[in-house]
Amino acid sequence: TGVCKTGLVTGILLRAIQDGYRGYFLRAQDLFDELYSTLADRSSRRLLDRLIRYDLLLIDEMGYLNLRAEQTNLFFKLMEERYVARRASIITTNLEYDQWRSFLGNEHLTNALLSRIRHRCITLSIEGPSLRSTSQVD
């Protein structure tokens, strides 16, 4: 049987919420779209403050995105401030860490981001077929 990253981490998020923690689920594409849209009305700080307050932030399906420099910068700011505040984040992706530079674009910023993300993290690598490729027809 296949393994579903999203299902696994959503279960962790739900358990955290049941235990009294504040949690939030975001698809990576939606997060980056929202980060970009805040630039128009200068509400980036408000969005960052809201996302930093969650005890657990789950960002699902990072990678394979076409990002603008502004989105990368705001994402770095979000993750850096969550790091300083010691807030937990879960990020799902099919990319290895060394592939993050290709979609984030800025090598120095990506190195700094990965340094913070990996400092106090547990990386789970799930091997096996996708659930999408293992569906059975009866």
Side-chain angles (χ1 to χ4, degrees):
T1 69
V3 178
C4 177
K5 294 185 310 280
T6 301
L8 176 65
V9 296
T10 300
I12 294 169
L13 176 64
L14 289 174
R15 181 56 195 244
I17 291 169
Q18 290 170 349
D19 289 346
Y21 294 96
R22 293 185 63 222
Y24 193 65
F25 175 97
L26 268 169
R27 285 185 26 234
Q29 182 68 61
D30 295 337
L31 170 62
F32 283 104
D33 288 348
E34 193 169 354
L35 288 170
Y36 191 71
S37 69
T38 64
L39 295 170
D41 63 3
R42 298 178 184 228
S43 63
S44 302
R45 182 74 261 161
R46 200 169 349 157
L47 174 62
L48 293 175
D49 288 344
R50 181 173 61 86
L51 294 176
I52 291 163
R53 281 195 298 269
Y54 288 105
D55 298 307
L56 177 57
L57 181 64
L58 195 165
I59 302 168
D60 190 42
E61 211 50 65
M62 186 84 134
Y64 309 117
L65 306 171
N66 293 317
L67 301 179
R68 297 173 187 251
E70 298 89 351
Q71 291 167 299
T72 298
N73 291 339
L74 286 171
F75 179 68
F76 174 80
K77 190 161 188 59
L78 169 65
M79 297 311 293
E80 201 271 336
E81 291 186 27
R82 288 188 60 76
Y83 173 81
V84 169
R86 292 184 163 261
R87 301 287 189 194
S89 303
I90 297 175
I91 300 171
T92 67
T93 183
N94 288 328
L95 301 177
E96 298 292 330
Y97 287 122
D98 61 356
Q99 296 172 304
W100 283 42
R101 287 169 197 81
S102 64
F103 84 91
L104 289 176
N106 181 323
E107 182 176 348
H108 297 293
L109 188 135
T110 301
N111 290 338
L113 173 66
L114 288 175
S115 173
R116 285 157 179 78
I117 288 175
R118 296 179 75 186
H119 178 230
R120 295 187 291 251
C121 89
I122 297 170
T123 301
L124 298 176
S125 180
I126 299 173
E127 301 288 328
S130 165
L131 283 179
R132 291 178 206 90
S133 65
T134 61
S135 60
Q136 297 178 355
V137 178
D138 292 324

